[in-house]
Structure formats: structure tokens, C-alpha cells
Amino acid sequence: MRNRNKLLSVLLTAGLLSACTAPADKQPEADNHDSQNNTVQDENKVIDVYEYHGEMNAQFDGRSFTLEAVPKSIAEELVVNNYYYDIASEYDKLSNLYGDNEALKISAANEKKNFDEGIYVKDYVIHDVTTLTQNETDALLAEHIQADIDQYSLSDTAIVKADIDLVWGEDVVGAQIDSGRYPRIFLCGKVNADDDWLIYEVYWGEMYGY
């Protein structure tokens, strides 16, 4: 009887161990399952990556918009839309791209007034749009940007450079700048983490050696 109880104890212990530890030939299946889970997680991350779904080419009653470089972030798309809404004469949407900068909002209102009077850009070509790193930002420009970041209390920012060509309409006389190719730098950001990205300032790149 004592030997029988001892045998049952050994068998019970062996059963518990086998329930807790997978056999050696089953281990790869567990690893494979983990690998599949990681793959699914990676795929989910890819789904969350920013994608541009806006226009690359558009025509509006003889005015044209051409985008040659796809934006890679929400901030870069803001800059693209700054020119798209201008060409599309959607000036309320243009104004809504701007943060708490009264000068930019007044500029959007003036663009609408000028358009109604036949004064407008006929063609925009955006050759490139890219987010500048700290090393790519001119020292003087960086000082001005930091002052504006402090002024608007921005918690998150992106400095976006646009390489654009513009052509004025035939009836435009005495425009502030001529038709031609220009670099423009945009301070994009948001005050709080849950805020939308907006444009807070625009700088003329040629004034900083771009």
C-alpha cells in the first residue's frame, strides 16, 4: 500500500510538471506564435503611419495647383493646403489653418478681397516640402522661431520648408513679389497635446539664405 501511494505521488508530480512545461518539440510553436503576434503588432503600427490623401494636381477656372512632393506628416500637409486653399479660393479654410496669429488671418481675408478684385496667383507648383532638422535651420531663423514658439506657448512644433513656384494672374500689377521660385519656412505646432496642428508663422526663406 505504501509503495502504491508513493507511485501515485510520483505520477501526480510528473503530471503537474508536464502541464507547466511544454515538451521540447513544442517550444518552436510557442515562439512562432509570439512571432506572429509581433508581426500583427507591426502591421498595426504601419496602419497608424501618416498618409497623404489630398490632391496632387488640380484646376480651378484657369488656375492650377501642382504638388511634386508628397507630404510626410500632418505639419507638411498643412503647408501644402496653405497653397491649395489659396488657389481653390477657399479662404475660410485657409484662415482655419492658422493658429493664434492675427496677421495671418488678416492675410487670408485680404487674399479673398484681392481675388474678388481679380488679383490672385494663377499657378502654384510645390517642388518640395520637408521638415527641417535643427542642423538645417539657420541660426538667426532659429532665434526668431524660438521667440515665436515662446510667444504662442507651443508645446509641440515642426519647422517645414516649402520650395514653391508661383505665377501671378495676367491682370496683376505691382505685386509685393514677382512671379518666380521662392523658399518659404513655416512654424507649425500646437499648444496642447490634444490640439490640432496649425500654422503659427511664415518666414521668407531667402532672407535667411535658403
Side-chain angles (χ1 to χ4, degrees), residues 58-98:
Q59 299 286 331
F60 302 95
D61 297 328
R63 304 183 308 280
S64 68
F65 169 86
T66 303
L67 177 60
E68 296 181 344
V70 177
K72 301 172 290 298
S73 68
I74 294 174
E76 292 181 6
E77 183 173 344
L78 275 176
V79 172
V80 168
N81 286 339
N82 177 77
Y83 297 105
Y84 177 81
Y85 290 145
D86 189 7
I87 281 290
S89 67
E90 297 186 53
Y91 297 108
D92 288 339
K93 290 183 178 180
L94 178 62
S95 182
N96 289 338
L97 296 179
Y98 302 141

Side-chain angles (χ1 to χ4, degrees), residues 88-172:
S89 67
E90 297 186 53
Y91 297 108
D92 288 339
K93 290 183 178 180
L94 178 62
S95 182
N96 289 338
L97 296 179
Y98 302 141
D100 189 20
N101 183 329
E102 191 64 23
L104 290 180
K105 292 183 178 294
I106 290 174
S107 175
N110 288 338
E111 291 289 345
K112 181 181 187 307
K113 179 182 177 181
N114 290 339
F115 178 79
D116 292 339
E117 296 175 357
I119 303 171
Y120 52 82
V121 173
K122 183 172 72 74
D123 302 306
Y124 269 127
V125 178
I126 303 179
H127 298 289
D128 193 23
V129 57
T130 184
T131 301
L132 298 179
T133 65
Q134 185 174 359
N135 291 336
E136 294 170 331
T137 306
D138 173 79
L140 180 59
L141 174 60
E143 290 183 15
H144 294 168
I145 288 173
Q146 188 57 57
D148 289 329
I149 290 173
D150 295 340
Q151 176 183 347
Y152 298 114
S153 301
L154 301 180
S155 63
D156 202 357
T157 61
I159 312 305
V160 179
K161 175 178 174 286
D163 178 11
I164 67 165
D165 252 315
L166 66 87
V167 177
W168 288 102
E170 296 177 359
D171 296 332
V172 175

